[in-house]
Amino acid sequence: MTLQFAIRHSLFAILIFVAAGCSYMSVPWSGAAAQPNATAEALYEDGINFFNNKRYALAIDRFQRIKTEFPFSPHVIDAELKLAESYYLNRQYPEAVAAFKEFQALHPTNEQIPFVLYHLGLAHFDQFTTTDREQKMTELAKGYFETVIKNHPNSPYTEKAREKLKQIILNLLSNAAKFTEQGEIKIAASRSDGKLNVAVSDTGIGIKKEALVHIFEEFQQAEKATSSRYGGTGLGLAIVKRLANLLGGDIGVESQEGKGSKFTITLPMTLKGKE
């Protein structure tokens, strides 16, 4: 009787969903399988539809089929680029890197090369969330971002470097607030000799002189007691330094234990991509 009861209630639940017109009750494979003899045009249209609906795994399948089955199709270049982007958006970073690099090698003068270089940088940089990240990945990301800024200063992706600057400042402010229980936090900006200087200062706990040497290294807190009390992994300032370096700048620190700290970022004004 227990099995019959379960079956009966399962069927009843299904009928309720159907009666309610629930859209997500569609058969999982409905519309997902491409025809075995589909044309390049049909596969590309399918892929774009899946891509636009964030069904990246299915988009990858369609674009990959165009590459394999229709290597001389007029859609193949667009399919190659969309394939790489689909891998990236699906967080398949190694596959994205391979696909973007292949596109770069096959089409070195294509107008989308700035887009490719920028996403090659992102595909490496976005892996920063893993705590066992190798330094090599950071250096590769740095190289790609620098290439975009230097070789394609008027591309829309150069402007995106400003977003990296925002990340830097927000991270510094967060770090300052974290270690300032009482007192104040100040932020100031100035220009000199073609450079932008941004300073974030606080009246917090400060940093011991012997700890300043390692403060921008990954997984470093000033002291173990600091990590225990305030939390964190010691990645924040390392990320800030990496971002500053990616933009062609640097960061410095002045601090006195018990009185506070001052972090100063120096960046070239040419980040705007204008003369």
Side-chain angles (χ1 to χ4, degrees), residues 61 68 158 247:
D61 173 76
T68 304
T158 303
L247 299 174

Side-chain angles (χ1 to χ4, degrees), residues 191-223:
R191 293 190 300 177
S192 62
D193 300 324
K195 294 181 179 180
L196 172 67
N197 304 302
V198 180
V200 178
S201 58
D202 64 68
T203 56
I205 62 174
I207 305 167
K208 287 184 177 181
K209 185 177 180 180
E210 57 268 25
L212 287 175
V213 180
H214 306 288
I215 198 66
F216 295 113
E217 295 177 7
E218 293 183 7
F219 311 113
Q220 295 291 328
Q221 292 272 24
E223 295 183 23

Side-chain angles (χ1 to χ4, degrees), residues 168-169 172 196-199 240 244 250-252 263-267:
I168 292 173
I169 295 173
L172 282 176
L196 172 67
N197 304 302
V198 180
V240 169
D250 206 353
I251 180 173
F263 292 87
T264 303
I265 303 167
T266 302
L267 297 171

Side-chain angles (χ1 to χ4, degrees), residues 165-174 187 198 200 265:
L165 176 58
K166 290 180 183 178
Q167 291 180 43
I168 292 173
I169 295 173
L170 288 174
N171 207 322
L172 282 176
L173 288 172
S174 174
I187 181 169
V198 180
V200 178
I265 303 167

Side-chain angles (χ1 to χ4, degrees), residues 69-103:
E69 299 174 20
F70 303 96
F72 303 108
S73 167
H75 295 286
V76 73
I77 294 179
D78 291 335
E80 289 169 349
L81 192 58
K82 282 296 183 184
L83 173 64
E85 190 177 3
S86 297
Y87 278 133
Y88 171 73
L89 293 173
N90 209 38
R91 298 184 181 181
Q92 294 176 248
Y93 298 126
E95 292 85 354
V97 168
F100 278 123
K101 289 178 73 173
E102 181 183 24
F103 186 94

Side-chain angles (χ1 to χ4, degrees), residues 34-45:
Q35 295 297 323
N37 297 319
T39 63
E41 290 78 6
L43 288 171
Y44 186 75
E45 183 177 351

Side-chain angles (χ1 to χ4, degrees), residues 7 22 27 54 90 144 180 269:
I7 293 173
C22 188
V27 180
K54 300 182 180 181
N90 209 38
Y144 286 120
T180 306
M269 293 300 293

